[in-house]
Amino acid sequence: LAYGTSPNGSEISTLEIMEVTDACSPQDNTDNPQPLEHASVRLLPERISRTRAASVAWLPDSSGFYYTRYPRPGDVPPGEEVYHRHVFLHKIGEAGNTDGMKDAEIFGQGMHPEHWPSVKLSEDGRWLLVKVEQGWARTEMFLNDLKNPQADFVAVTTGQDLLYDGEIFAGDLYITTNEGAPRFRVMKVACASPQRENWKEIIAESDAVIEEAQVIGRQLFLRCSRNAVSQLRIHALDGALTGEVQLPAPGTIFSLGGNWESEQAFLGFTSFVIPPSVYQVTLDGRVTPWARVESGIDPERYQAEQIWFQSKDGTQVPMFVVSRKDMVRTGRTPALLSGYGGFNVGRTPVFNRNAMLLLLERGGVYADVQLRGGNEFGEEWHRAGMLEKKQNVFDDFIAAAEHLIASGYTDPEHLAIQGGSNGGLLVGAVITQRPELFRAAVSQVPLLDMLRYHNFQIARLWIPEYGSAQDPEQFRYLYQYSPYHRMLENVKYPATLFMTAESDTRVDPMHAKKMAALMQSAAENHSGTDSDRPILLRVDTRAGHGAGKPVAKLADDAVDFWSFLFWQLGVSID
């Protein structure tokens, strides 16, 4: 087992290796296998640093793995240490190489420093696939025949402003792509001749977005999304549909597990009323519960409806609204609206125990909107919310708030908004564009200075999504919505809580700090500012962007988050 550890939530990780043997019981009790009492676990001496978000592909005999990391210090120009991610081969137990710095470099020389490779290896160990992400709207794939020591990587696809992903099995490459299909389709080609003219479509585009195709038990499992709700389909290797899996409820598949020789698949599933759960899926599509997080919540008390509204330019946008079944629309109900809208990331039903027990149980409403910039309706939806079209995202969110008010759920005095990272930018943008629409806002680990964001941490990776102020045309639209540059004097802004962390190596804490300072200064200079509209800054210590945050810190975050919102929305805590 290879796993990464990061100090203080920094995401600057070290790869460690654990040898695990006899960890699971024999398969004579497949309904409920239990760990053996005498499982053997041994931590190996390897400590490979510079492996942030490592992609790992094990050799079939477990003697080593291909993986990604940054080159050694000094091998890249000064200031470039957080870029130049390359592919290496590590052999376990190699003398004098426990730090991996003598590992052979397999791929990456001459590659653009901000491109992001990942690795997959065929089940027989012959074919190595490297996928190189160039932002969130373009990928390239390269294939190497490891059986031929003289062979070099062959470009499967390159130079196309399109997305590609691959899965290898039995000498064939299965390619999921938006080429000629904004909601994606699946192509098949022999690894020995992967040129584009040899590709054959085996699964056509449909009204559901194909998010992942994985070979499990010698079949293709397709994880799809239709109207922001997950679907799971099973296909034969020639593309023929063999089954559609009946999921427990409208919700989200957050993980799909299994490999080519598995006798079943496992899926991670959640919804607004189902906590994170694992289900076993037979190869003919039957679903049975395997394990779940116990929540103590009765799902029958709650309802989730998907409603559609019209954005500023006439686009129809969906939103989930979650409440108690006995909730009555008074037009003054405390409501929390959340969104993201970027990086090809979809917002789908996810269990939120805090919102249910704290907000919904006090008669409140939680709304989650599927903004442009995500992947809910394919790549066209994503591209409609990036670069010069980013304002669409903010318009969608504002229209969602207006719809909640017009539909009698709430009013501006009882409406709060929340978002993190790119969603923190969303919150910053809408409170500067429509401050009168919201009572309170929580902006978590946000980007807020969009003219200088690319100068900090790993943010140059996001230029393909946002653009750069160094480009005159991109400067113009970035300046039009950059929250830090949209602040005005003599404007009454919502009560705002900025939440950031000292060890955030993804979005620099400077964004939240300088925005909070600017808003506090504006509030002090605004004679009409009420004392109940505070601008607060919360800086966590020994924490980062959020990944791997320990439970105690999550609890601290939740206490401050909900205390702030309840204070501002007038929700009593009995």
Side-chain angles (χ1 to χ4, degrees):
L1 170 70
Y3 63 95
T5 60
S6 299
N8 302 326
S10 67
E11 301 181 7
I12 305 300
S13 60
T14 297
L15 202 64
E16 304 191 27
I17 304 167
M18 183 183 292
E19 183 181 59
V20 184
T21 57
D22 298 326
C24 292
S25 63
Q27 291 301 308
D28 57 353
N29 184 18
T30 56
D31 289 336
N32 188 25
Q34 298 293 321
L36 290 177
E37 293 182 4
H38 303 292
S40 171
V41 177
R42 183 169 68 96
L43 191 63
L44 301 186
E46 271 90 344
R47 299 287 188 279
I48 305 174
S49 61
R50 307 176 63 75
T51 55
R52 178 181 194 146
S55 174
V56 175
W58 282 92
L59 299 173
D61 63 358
S62 298
S63 63
F65 49 81
Y66 294 92
Y67 71 107
T68 57
R69 67 165 166 84
Y70 300 130
R72 293 175 302 178
D75 287 355
V76 296
E80 298 284 322
E81 291 82 1
V82 295
Y83 302 106
H84 294 274
R85 176 172 144 130
H86 296 176
V87 177
F88 297 84
L89 173 62
H90 181 75
K91 292 297 189 72
I92 294 176
E94 188 175 56
N97 191 32
T98 56
D99 63 359
M101 292 300 115
K102 295 181 181 178
D103 288 342
E105 183 171 320
I106 305 300
F107 184 93
Q109 282 295 327
M111 186 176 63
H112 193 286
E114 292 150 30
H115 292 173
W116 193 264
S118 59
V119 292
K120 288 184 180 179
L121 191 64
S122 62
E123 81 286 354
D124 58 3
R126 176 175 178 178
W127 301 99
L128 176 65
L129 179 70
V130 176
K131 180 178 77 170
V132 180
E133 295 174 272
Q134 302 171 13
W136 282 258
R138 175 173 174 158
T139 55
E140 296 182 342
M141 295 198 303
F142 301 87
L143 192 64
N144 194 358
D145 183 1
L146 301 176
K147 185 178 180 180
N148 181 359
Q150 307 304 316
D152 201 353
F153 279 93
V154 174
V156 179
T157 174
T158 184
Q160 299 294 316
D161 195 19
L162 296 164
L163 291 167
Y164 301 89
D165 198 5
E167 182 84 352
I168 310 171
F169 177 66
D172 290 320
L173 177 62
Y174 297 85
I175 301 168
T176 303
T177 179
N178 66 333
E179 180 185 314
R183 300 192 182 210
F184 295 82
R185 57 178 172 161
V186 180
M187 316 284 280
K188 183 177 181 178
V189 67
C191 292
S193 52
Q195 293 76 18
R196 178 63 183 86
E197 61 267 21
N198 298 324
W199 296 12
K200 176 186 176 183
E201 180 182 272
I202 59 171
I203 302 175
E205 181 185 31
S206 71
D207 62 347
V209 179
I210 299 175
E211 298 179 321
E212 177 185 12
Q214 186 174 338
V215 176
I216 299 176
R218 294 179 168 82
Q219 299 189 79
L220 272 178
F221 277 66
L222 257 64
R223 178 170 60 88
C224 307
S225 176
R226 185 177 183 275
N227 291 340
V229 173
S230 287
Q231 297 178 342
L232 185 62
R233 306 200 312 244
I234 304 176
H235 293 254
L237 294 180
D238 62 2
L241 180 66
T242 60
E244 297 198 28
V245 177
Q246 186 68 38
L247 296 176
T252 301
I253 299 172
F254 61 81
S255 180
L256 183 61
N259 60 34
W260 66 274
E261 59 184 351
S262 298
E263 297 180 0
Q264 66 276 314
F266 291 89
L267 63 89
F269 183 84
T270 186
S271 76
F272 288 118
V273 297
I274 298 176
S277 304
V278 179
Y279 292 85
Q280 182 184 28
V281 184
T282 62
L283 298 182
D284 59 0
R286 290 179 288 113
V287 178
T288 54
W290 181 265
R292 70 184 299 169
V293 174
E294 294 303 326
S295 69
I297 289 176
D298 178 8
E300 295 302 317
R301 290 177 54 81
Y302 306 97
Q303 61 186 4
E305 57 178 332
Q306 188 178 52
I307 60 178
W308 294 74
F309 60 91
Q310 185 170 290
S311 191
K312 182 178 180 179
D313 63 357
T315 300
Q316 291 294 311
V317 180
M319 168 171 54
F320 290 104
V321 179
V322 190
S323 66
R324 257 181 19 203
K325 288 182 178 179
D326 60 356
M327 188 273 298
V328 178
R329 299 188 200 181
T330 65
R332 296 177 57 81
T333 301
L336 176 62
L337 174 63
S338 182
Y340 187 77
F343 293 94
N344 216 8
V345 173
R347 294 283 290 209
T348 53
V350 174
F351 188 80
N352 186 330
R353 185 176 188 272
N354 286 339
M356 297 178 79
L357 283 182
L358 297 176
L359 180 62
L360 272 59
E361 278 302 302
R362 288 166 173 81
V365 169
Y366 173 73
D368 196 307
V369 58
Q370 285 65 59
L371 307 165
R372 280 176 282 186
N375 70 350
E376 292 89 346
F377 300 97
E379 183 57 15
E380 289 179 343
W381 195 254
H382 170 217
R383 290 175 185 260
M386 59 182 280
L387 294 173
E388 77 281 0
K389 297 179 181 178
K390 187 67 176 177
Q391 183 60 41
N392 286 337
V393 181
F394 313 137
D395 290 342
D396 291 353
F397 199 65
I398 290 168
E402 292 175 331
H403 187 80
L404 289 173
I405 294 168
S407 300
Y409 285 100
T410 189
D411 64 8
E413 281 299 304
H414 296 87
L415 177 58
I417 54 175
Q418 172 271 333
S421 194
N422 174 73
L425 164 63
L426 168 69
V427 170
V430 298
I431 65 172
T432 52
Q433 294 181 19
R434 291 293 302 277
E436 81 288 352
L437 201 54
F438 315 103
R439 170 67 194 204
V442 181
S443 179
Q444 296 163 293
V445 290
L447 293 99
L448 296 164
D449 178 351
M450 296 307 292
L451 297 187
R452 303 189 70 240
Y453 80 92
H454 59 285
N455 295 325
F456 299 90
Q457 306 292 359
I458 62 169
R460 274 172 27 200
L461 295 174
W462 311 328
I463 290 176
E465 184 80 8
Y466 294 129
S468 167
Q470 293 177 299
D471 179 296
E473 180 60 33
Q474 294 177 345
F475 172 91
R476 280 189 281 273
Y477 65 72
L478 286 166
Y479 181 69
Q480 285 302 312
Y481 73 76
S482 177
Y484 185 75
H485 301 91
R486 293 298 93 197
M487 279 292 303
L488 299 173
E489 297 286 347
N490 298 318
V491 172
K492 185 176 180 178
Y493 288 101
T496 304
L497 171 62
F498 294 103
M499 304 178 72
T500 187
E502 286 182 346
S503 300
D504 192 338
T505 57
R506 198 182 307 191
V507 177
D508 198 290
M510 71 91 181
H511 288 275
K513 292 178 179 180
K514 64 192 287 185
M515 186 71 172
L518 186 62
M519 290 188 72
Q520 288 170 349
S521 175
E524 290 173 0
N525 294 331
H526 178 216
S527 59
T529 297
D530 296 332
S531 60
D532 62 349
R533 296 290 180 95
I535 307 299
L536 302 179
L537 172 66
R538 181 188 193 274
V539 182
D540 205 348
T541 58
R542 300 190 65 191
H545 199 65
K549 185 175 285 190
V551 173
K553 283 189 173 291
L554 294 175
D556 287 344
D557 286 356
V559 168
D560 289 348
F561 177 94
W562 290 103
S563 297
F564 173 77
L565 288 183
F566 284 5
W567 168 32
Q568 292 302 313
L569 299 182
V571 178
S572 63
I573 303 177
D574 52 30

